[in-house]
Amino acid sequence: MDAAADESRWSGATAEAGPGAVPACPRVPPPAGLACAAALLGGVTACLFLPALPPAPLCWLAALAGAAAWAWPWRARAAGALFLGVGWAGLHAGWGLAAQLPPALEGHDVHLSGKVVGLPEHEARRTRFLLRVGEDAPPELRGRLLQLSWYDDFGALEPGPRLQLQPGSRWSLYARLRAPRGLANPGGFDAGRHALAQRIAATGYLRAPQLARELAPAAGIDAWRGRMAARIDAGVGGPAARFVRALALGDTRGLQDPDWAVLRGVGLTHLIAISGFHVGLVAGFGAWVVAAAWWLLPRLGRHLPRLQAAALAAVAAAAGYTAVAGFALPTVRTTLMIAVVALARVARRALGPWEGLALALLAILLADPLAVLQAGFWLSFAGVAWLVWCLPGDGRRHWLRDFLLAQGVATLGLLPLGAVLFQQASLAGPLANLVAIPWWSLVVVPLSLLGTLLEAVHAGAGTWAWRLAAACFDPSWRLFEAMAAGRFALWWLPEARSWAVLPALAGAFWLMLPRGVPGKPLALLLWLPLLWPDRELPPPGGVELHVFDVGQGLSVLVRTSGHALLYDAGPAVRDGYDAGERAVLPALRALGVARLDRVVVSHADLDHAGGWPAVREALAVDLALAPEGAPLEMDGPCQRGVDWEWDGVRFRFLHPAEHFPYLRNEASCVLRVETAHGAVLLPGDIGE
């Protein structure tokens, strides 16, 4: 397809829309080439959603049969792509699982040596880092990627030698390992899926830290990133330094939980670290510089045409920026997409937007089919597809109109995916993005990168640019903090059924059809299964219990048809893991619990009460009870004989009695829940 035909195909495809309005989308269907890419994506997704992987011989058969079908007409080719996706994803998933820690090494101390990959995360009492295992290790672990934690000694008052751990250095150490796995709760983070996508073979922690020793000093790109991060901290010297590090190097280690809460509240998590959008900006700048050089020096065109040179420069700039970001997967995906389009340009093949999107999708899925396990993959391709479908392709361009239309398309088109992937939606996000995208991406990020480039040339030369970037960032951050504190900043959604995203996407498609299409208000009905799912509450007289997976400890949600009670809130470690924040709150939000009618903390031990402060801060609680004398901030004591009834269900405390001394486990609140069908006893940690 030549460029003229492509332009003719897109002319007149959209209806006119005013600034800020959602654009009317073209009626012209995407080319047949996209069908093969969609079929490959469908095969990969179907395979990874199976309850068990197909046997390896069956995966090989499907992959080879699918690859052979590419020589047939496009309809057979699309069917072949489907089989290729199933087989190729099954093989990669099988290889990834086979590379994980074997059961024989589970729970044993293992001597390892290897290279520190990425930037270690130094926290208050521990350091988390990735280790690429070298030859001095059991054969099953050689070359594998491990995620390890180095804790301070118990009772230590200041950080130990773990702060000597530098990116790119080689170490010898002893660690206790386990296969990657996490907690299983509604709305919780899937640690196993994350480890498989990142090819992490095992997690663990250091044993006998005093025996750890450095074998070789820091070297390589990660060491350079670590030095640049330290120079940014020293050069900027203020709170904004952590954001300059994130925008310049993709180093988010300095961002704390309140920072991430603000970013989630205004929908800007996709901009604070190096993202695919920033890689595209750098690639475009590289292409522009080379095109300008070819325009100033026409003789260069005798050796390489200007368009081909600009395409190669875009790839080089994107690859360099990806290295600065530590080869983070979102940047690698974007660089691969840019390389595919650039290769087509160098080969003098005209590509329409759909053809370019299809080639990029094929390249990424063939290179790494497990990329579909990450939310960023779906958001990236869905966002580009919506923009290609909806934005004007008739040659009419106005930067302000196109920017506003792009924001409308992204907000409406990606809301279903954001809701199903994160169970949340930022109501302030569209407005915040209108400010942050141009200001951060066109002012703060270029200044941060300019400082990094100057600093790489000469030490100290980039300080002024970093400080100017921080000065430009600060006012916008204060604005976003105020927006995140508003009542309409973040909307938590109950966890919906997986199929609910399909009618919601269909509703978004319907809303963005040309203005003459009738019945658009009815499209909102297709969003109801996703935004207002059935919470499946028990009927009157019935009770439902959810025992949350919090590790060592307890947390139980008791629900009737109209009330909710939380019994204990899981463990928390000082300056470390907090089950209330990481497990209990996500589960409550996924179950649609916006407020708690009552909270009972059985006793004050950290494995039962540690998560209570996080729950109290995030949710409205009508009444909180604990044993009398327990060192907890509660509304009153639980005592034997106190009872109440909710929706035909009776609740009654059996222990402790009035004036019973606080004896930790033995003073636990014992709660009996009685229904017409049976009873439940929640005894805390009483001995008998």
Side-chain angles (χ1 to χ4, degrees), residues 281-627:
L281 287 176
V282 172
F285 179 75
W288 179 83
V289 169
V290 170
W294 257 244
W295 180 78
L296 292 173
L297 301 172
R299 293 183 179 181
L300 295 175
R302 298 178 180 178
H303 305 283
L304 185 64
R306 179 171 57 88
L307 293 179
Q308 281 74 15
L312 294 176
V315 176
Y321 194 37
T322 299
V324 169
F327 297 99
L329 289 182
T331 63
V332 173
R333 283 198 303 266
T334 306
T335 301
L336 186 57
M337 294 170 67
I338 293 171
V340 168
V341 176
L343 181 62
R345 179 63 61 87
V346 171
R348 300 175 183 268
R349 177 178 176 180
L351 282 182
W354 285 114
E355 287 87 351
L357 182 64
L359 277 178
L361 182 59
L362 287 170
I364 289 176
L365 290 178
L366 292 176
D368 181 18
L370 301 187
V372 302
L373 297 176
Q374 298 182 318
F377 170 87
W378 295 98
L379 295 175
S380 298
F381 276 100
V384 174
W386 279 120
L387 293 176
V388 170
W389 182 264
C390 293
L391 291 188
D394 53 2
R396 296 172 297 171
R397 287 288 183 265
H398 186 277
W399 67 270
L400 180 58
R401 184 194 67 174
D402 289 350
F403 176 67
L404 293 176
L405 294 182
Q407 283 299 302
V409 169
T411 299
L412 188 60
L414 297 182
L415 179 58
L417 286 177
V420 76
L421 292 171
F422 307 115
Q423 285 83 53
Q424 65 184 36
S426 175
L427 303 183
L431 182 59
N433 276 271
L434 286 177
V435 177
I437 288 179
W439 186 246
W440 288 4
S441 299
L442 301 180
V443 177
V444 180
V445 171
L447 286 172
S448 302
L449 293 178
L450 177 61
T452 305
L453 179 61
L454 294 175
E455 193 73 17
V457 175
H458 185 271
T463 302
W464 68 269
W466 286 333
R467 289 179 179 175
L468 184 56
C472 293
F473 180 88
D474 274 334
S476 64
W477 184 249
R478 289 194 292 269
L479 171 63
F480 298 141
E481 283 182 320
M483 295 176 64
R487 57 179 299 188
F488 299 107
L490 195 60
W491 182 20
W492 292 100
L493 302 170
E495 192 172 44
R497 299 294 182 91
S498 57
W499 56 263
V501 68
L502 298 178
L505 288 172
F509 173 79
W510 191 352
L511 288 172
M512 288 190 286
L513 285 174
R515 291 179 179 176
V517 175
K520 284 193 175 184
L522 297 177
L524 298 176
L525 297 177
L526 297 175
W527 293 62
L528 292 181
L530 180 65
L531 302 183
W532 197 7
D534 182 11
R535 296 172 57 197
E536 300 180 354
L537 295 173
V543 70
E544 178 184 72
L545 268 75
H546 291 269
V547 181
F548 297 140
D549 183 6
V550 294
Q552 173 64 38
L554 179 67
S555 183
V556 180
L557 175 66
V558 184
R559 290 203 300 184
T560 66
S561 60
H563 296 80
L565 178 146
L566 182 67
Y567 185 91
D568 285 341
V573 179
R574 183 168 63 91
D575 301 323
Y577 173 74
D578 187 337
E581 178 184 2
R582 302 294 177 87
V584 178
L585 278 175
L588 292 175
R589 288 163 176 159
L591 294 171
V593 179
R595 66 180 300 114
L596 291 165
D597 298 282
R598 197 155 300 186
V599 170
V600 177
V601 178
S602 61
H603 59 298
D605 287 0
L606 284 180
D607 56 342
H608 292 252
W612 161 236
V615 173
R616 179 185 57 200
E617 182 178 354
L619 292 182
V621 178
D622 290 346
L623 183 64
L625 304 175

Side-chain angles (χ1 to χ4, degrees), residues 621-657:
V621 178
D622 290 346
L623 183 64
L625 304 175
E628 186 175 3
L632 296 170
E633 295 184 15
M634 310 298 284
D635 298 324
C638 57
Q639 290 182 358
R640 184 174 64 191
V642 174
D643 63 348
W644 68 95
E645 184 173 320
W646 284 341
D647 310 311
V649 179
R650 188 185 179 197
F651 295 78
R652 182 159 55 103
F653 283 118
L654 304 184
H655 183 72

Side-chain angles (χ1 to χ4, degrees), residues 121-435:
E121 300 179 20
H122 297 294
E123 300 175 357
R125 302 188 61 82
R126 69 172 178 177
T127 294
R128 301 176 66 227
F129 63 100
L130 294 173
L131 185 77
R132 179 70 67 181
V133 181
E135 294 299 322
D136 189 10
E140 301 90 343
L141 295 177
R142 292 173 188 170
R144 307 301 186 203
L145 188 65
L146 310 180
Q147 182 173 297
L148 302 177
S149 297
W150 186 339
Y151 291 90
D152 288 328
D153 292 334
F154 183 77
L157 300 178
E158 58 183 23
R162 61 184 175 86
L163 296 184
Q164 301 174 8
L165 199 71
Q166 297 298 322
S169 58
R170 300 186 62 85
W171 282 74
S172 172
L173 46 86
Y174 290 86
R176 178 163 294 183
L177 305 175
R178 70 171 189 175
R181 57 181 178 269
L183 304 177
N185 290 307
F189 176 69
D190 193 332
R193 181 176 63 185
H194 172 77
L196 181 60
Q198 301 283 343
R199 307 306 198 277
I200 295 175
T203 62
Y205 60 94
L206 264 65
R207 299 278 289 176
Q210 67 275 9
L211 299 179
R213 69 182 190 277
E214 187 179 44
L215 301 177
I221 186 64
D222 288 330
W224 179 85
R225 295 178 68 219
R227 291 193 298 270
M228 282 295 169
R231 291 183 188 179
I232 291 175
D233 284 338
V236 177
R242 65 189 190 275
F243 295 104
V244 176
R245 283 168 46 190
L247 294 170
L249 302 169
D251 178 11
T252 59
R253 296 176 297 169
L255 272 62
Q256 304 299 319
D257 289 340
D259 299 325
W260 290 114
V262 171
L263 292 169
R264 286 193 300 268
V266 292
L268 295 179
T269 53
H270 64 106
L271 286 180
I272 195 57
I274 293 178
S275 64
F277 180 72
H278 295 150
V279 175
L281 287 176
V282 172
F285 179 75
W288 179 83
V289 169
V290 170
W294 257 244
W295 180 78
L296 292 173
L297 301 172
R299 293 183 179 181
L300 295 175
R302 298 178 180 178
H303 305 283
L304 185 64
R306 179 171 57 88
L307 293 179
Q308 281 74 15
L312 294 176
V315 176
Y321 194 37
T322 299
V324 169
F327 297 99
L329 289 182
T331 63
V332 173
R333 283 198 303 266
T334 306
T335 301
L336 186 57
M337 294 170 67
I338 293 171
V340 168
V341 176
L343 181 62
R345 179 63 61 87
V346 171
R348 300 175 183 268
R349 177 178 176 180
L351 282 182
W354 285 114
E355 287 87 351
L357 182 64
L359 277 178
L361 182 59
L362 287 170
I364 289 176
L365 290 178
L366 292 176
D368 181 18
L370 301 187
V372 302
L373 297 176
Q374 298 182 318
F377 170 87
W378 295 98
L379 295 175
S380 298
F381 276 100
V384 174
W386 279 120
L387 293 176
V388 170
W389 182 264
C390 293
L391 291 188
D394 53 2
R396 296 172 297 171
R397 287 288 183 265
H398 186 277
W399 67 270
L400 180 58
R401 184 194 67 174
D402 289 350
F403 176 67
L404 293 176
L405 294 182
Q407 283 299 302
V409 169
T411 299
L412 188 60
L414 297 182
L415 179 58
L417 286 177
V420 76
L421 292 171
F422 307 115
Q423 285 83 53
Q424 65 184 36
S426 175
L427 303 183
L431 182 59
N433 276 271
L434 286 177
V435 177

